[in-house]
Amino acid sequence: MEKSAEKTAIIQDRARALLTSGTVDVFIGYKTGSTMLRVTPCVITDANEVEALAWNAMCINNLVATLKKYAHQRAAIVVKGCDARSLVELIKLNQVQREQVYIVGLPCSGILDPKKVARKRPLTSIKAISVQEDRIILFEGSGILACTREELLYDKCLTCTHPNPLIADELVGDAIDEAVTHTGDKFADVEELEQLAVEERRAFWQAELSKCTLCYACQTICPMCFCKGCTVTLPKNDPQRKARTPASVFSFHINRAYHMVGRCTGCLECERVCPVGIPLSAIFKKVEKDTQELFDYEAGVSVDDVPPLSNWKDA
Amino acid sequence: MEPDFEPKIMGFLCSWCSYAGADMAGVSRLSYPANIRVIRVMCSGRIDPLFVMKAFTSGATRARLCCHPGDCHYATGNYYTERRFVMLQRLLDYMGIDQQRLKLTWVSASEGARFATIVTELTQEIKALGPLNLVTK
Ligand code: SF4
Ligand code: SF4
Ligand code: SF4
Ligand code: FES
């Protein structure tokens, strides 16, 4: 806990300095809500408000998605390892100008999934959290509870290959060893699906996608969905959208997945916000896996890489 | 397999080669199944995967044809196509749309006979696969 308090203090100081000096117009970070487990994005323009900013092991939101709202301002932003990859990709695709953003990078050893926490303890009873290399400690009013990383962290944090931001103007805290966060096989569930016969996969997706309400929350939250006129979503009054036929649902998901080839960095914000719990990670990890296999390309690691579908040369 | 099943095959033909190839098939009075519906595009590089999904969700099973590698009128259009194609094909298959339903073939302007053969084979393959059932239900 001392650690997140320390990092909170550093973030607040940094925000104060950047806003006071006029280096940036906005500072995008996190704040806690009614309890420390309720974290939301926090956008600050006034140096007097920096106390609102916070950092803890519940800061899951990928703030990079917020950046498009401040396109014409100089912004400072707090990013974790995974979030930084979205930023690399947006810079590569000319959606963000590197000199317009000040990047405060947080090396990250994993974020807690509230659904998993709730299986252990009521969320409201938790007063502090300490994420360690081999375990996680939940502090309650009186006692403490030690859990494994698997028991509490988001699945993506168990297979995270880039816990340290690859792009940043400064890092808050010490770098994390990838061996700590990269403990599982990221593509295990994708491979399982790949093993099935095509009809079984069809049945699996048909069942999952039949829950989809075409609310487009997944598309709205995605930091890489920046197109002004999205060609894969349907307008509100479109009868196909209202009817939610398998055709309209399948084409939304397949088209969006295809649009994400070479762009999606696997932040999995889409899956996190889906109100009906569709395993979107299985779609986007497939995109990532194929992009690696076919084109030896990993999104969001270097601004100098040429996007795989804008390039036809083999080397 | 339904005996009366007549598949609809969407063919996106590049104007310079495969469309000309189809024309050649016609001029040579070759016969091929009427299951193919042709859409002419200026280059296979113009085929947006959105078109493919539109075809599938409107009840088609499809093919896509373009110039031979190295023969693209715009030099490299079909190389881009190839990359997009493999990606899309794998994705479709993963979502349960059999990869055999999407095909990329090269036909040149002089290959009228090749065009007729391809369409005949495709039609047979798709008849064996049966309907896609994405539109009904
Ligand atoms: S994916 Fe990695 S960087 Fe992102 S929250 Fe999890 S551990 Fe942190
Ligand atoms: S598609 Fe999902 S995982 Fe990929 S970048 Fe968008 S929100 Fe993140
Ligand atoms: S958030 Fe979930 S329900 Fe909404 S459109 Fe996306 S997949 Fe469908
Ligand atoms: S002109 Fe035929 S594929 Fe480009």
Side-chain angles (χ1 to χ4, degrees):
Chain A
M1 178 56 196
E2 325 76 65
K3 277 214 187 126
S4 36
E6 243 170 60
K7 288 181 185 171
T8 298
I10 299 176
I11 292 170
Q12 291 179 352
D13 282 349
R14 184 48 67 209
R16 191 177 294 111
L18 288 166
L19 288 168
T20 317
S21 66
T23 312
V24 301
D25 308 311
V26 286
F27 190 97
I28 307 170
Y30 300 95
K31 67 174 178 219
T32 50
S34 51
T35 78
M36 68 153 301
L37 276 80
R38 300 233 171 274
V39 171
T40 52
C42 174
V43 180
I44 282 186
T45 51
D46 181 347
N48 296 317
E49 292 166 5
V50 299
E51 314 257 284
L53 293 164
W55 168 262
N56 65 35
M58 303 299 293
C59 293
I60 188 62
N61 314 57
N62 182 348
L63 300 176
V64 174
T66 320
L67 212 50
K68 51 192 157 202
K69 283 194 213 139
Y70 305 95
H72 300 293
Q73 300 179 54
R74 287 159 311 157
I77 183 164
V78 175
V79 295
K80 306 182 290 296
C82 48
D83 312 336
R85 294 182 59 194
S86 313
L87 208 41
V88 167
E89 209 47 42
L90 288 175
I91 293 169
K92 184 192 295 172
L93 298 175
N94 253 320
Q95 300 303 309
V96 168
Q97 303 306 312
R98 177 66 184 91
E99 40 319 325
Q100 291 269 82
V101 274
Y102 187 94
I103 308 168
V104 181
L106 270 295
C108 166
S109 53
I111 300 292
L112 276 68
D113 181 343
K115 287 199 204 89
K116 292 191 183 178
V117 178
R119 275 182 225 146
K120 296 275 171 194
R121 285 286 187 271
L123 292 183
T124 44
S125 75
I126 292 155
K127 301 287 176 276
I129 302 161
S130 166
V131 180
Q132 302 173 357
E133 290 194 358
D134 50 350
R135 59 189 181 156
I136 296 169
I137 317 256
L138 299 179
F139 296 86
E140 291 170 289
S142 45
I144 63 167
L145 180 70
C147 299
T148 63
R149 295 173 57 86
E150 288 73 20
E151 284 173 315
L152 294 185
L153 295 186
Y154 274 100
D155 288 343
K156 71 169 184 176
C157 301
L158 303 169
T159 59
C160 169
T161 45
H162 299 284
N164 303 301
L166 291 169
I167 191 170
D169 290 293
E170 68 175 299
L171 290 180
V172 177
D174 301 328
I176 308 284
D177 186 352
E178 188 197 313
V180 172
T181 55
H182 188 190
T183 51
D185 173 10
K186 183 188 244 177
F187 298 127
D189 50 348
V190 175
E191 277 155 12
E192 228 169 83
L193 276 169
E194 284 172 347
Q195 301 302 317
L196 300 178
V198 64
E199 306 77 48
E200 295 173 300
R201 274 199 297 275
R202 173 73 180 277
F204 171 82
W205 285 116
Q206 195 124 352
E208 287 295 344
L209 296 184
S210 67
K211 297 186 268 177
C212 178
T213 60
L214 291 180
C215 69
Y216 301 142
C218 49
Q219 186 264 344
T220 311
I221 195 87
C222 176
M224 303 315 302
C225 277
F226 49 71
C227 312
K228 296 252 156 39
C230 175
T231 54
V232 310
T233 49
L234 299 166
K236 263 214 173 66
N237 53 6
D238 191 301
Q240 286 258 23
R241 180 169 176 189
K242 287 197 183 128
R244 293 193 285 122
T245 57
S248 55
V249 179
F250 267 81
S251 43
F252 167 63
H253 287 281
I254 294 174
N255 283 326
R256 197 172 97 79
Y258 178 82
H259 273 195
M260 283 297 136
V261 173
R263 275 207 256 180
C264 167
T265 59
C267 70
L268 300 187
E269 286 289 86
C270 46
E271 178 169 279
R272 182 176 68 86
V273 301
C274 175
V276 295
I278 294 171
L280 294 171
S281 58
I283 298 182
F284 292 102
K285 286 196 285 185
K286 169 68 176 170
V287 169
E288 183 182 349
K289 181 168 177 278
D290 281 357
T291 315
Q292 276 176 19
E293 280 175 13
L294 293 167
F295 312 125
D296 191 22
Y297 183 91
E298 191 179 10
V301 291
S302 162
V303 290
D304 300 320
D305 290 340
V306 183
L309 297 183
S310 314
N311 173 22
W312 53 269
K313 298 193 181 68
D314 275 325
Chain B
M1 186 179 140
E2 295 158 38
D4 300 335
F5 167 55
E6 281 300 336
K8 287 187 202 131
I9 302 178
M10 286 304 301
F12 294 95
L13 309 195
C14 144
S15 172
W16 300 97
C17 294
S18 33
Y19 191 82
D23 208 27
M24 177 63 102
V27 169
S28 321
R29 301 184 170 277
L30 299 170
S31 74
Y32 54 84
N35 300 69
I36 190 157
R37 314 286 195 273
V38 171
I39 290 186
R40 171 164 143 188
V41 290
M42 285 315 285
C43 172
S44 66
R46 174 66 183 96
I47 307 167
D48 190 314
L50 284 173
F51 300 174
V52 178
M53 285 314 295
K54 185 73 189 169
F56 279 141
T57 55
S58 315
T61 313
R62 45 141 265 149
R64 151 199 272 196
L65 300 94
C66 62
C67 310
H68 281 280
D71 277 357
C72 173
H73 187 73
Y74 305 103
T76 56
N78 52 6
Y79 296 144
Y80 290 104
T81 309
E82 186 157 22
R83 282 194 157 212
R84 293 180 196 162
F85 171 81
V86 261
M87 202 60 220
L88 182 65
Q89 193 183 39
R90 281 195 181 201
L91 195 57
L92 285 169
D93 199 67
Y94 182 73
M95 301 297 288
I97 297 177
D98 197 314
Q99 52 173 318
Q100 294 183 61
R101 294 185 186 271
L102 182 63
K103 206 166 198 124
L104 175 66
T105 326
W106 323 101
V107 173
S108 81
S110 58
E111 296 172 323
R114 182 173 151 79
F115 179 82
T117 318
I118 288 173
V119 177
T120 312
E121 282 170 7
L122 270 178
T123 309
Q124 283 159 1
E125 274 172 38
I126 299 303
K127 280 192 173 163
L129 273 176
L132 178 62
N133 288 336
L134 206 50
V135 183
T136 50
K137 264 204 281 192

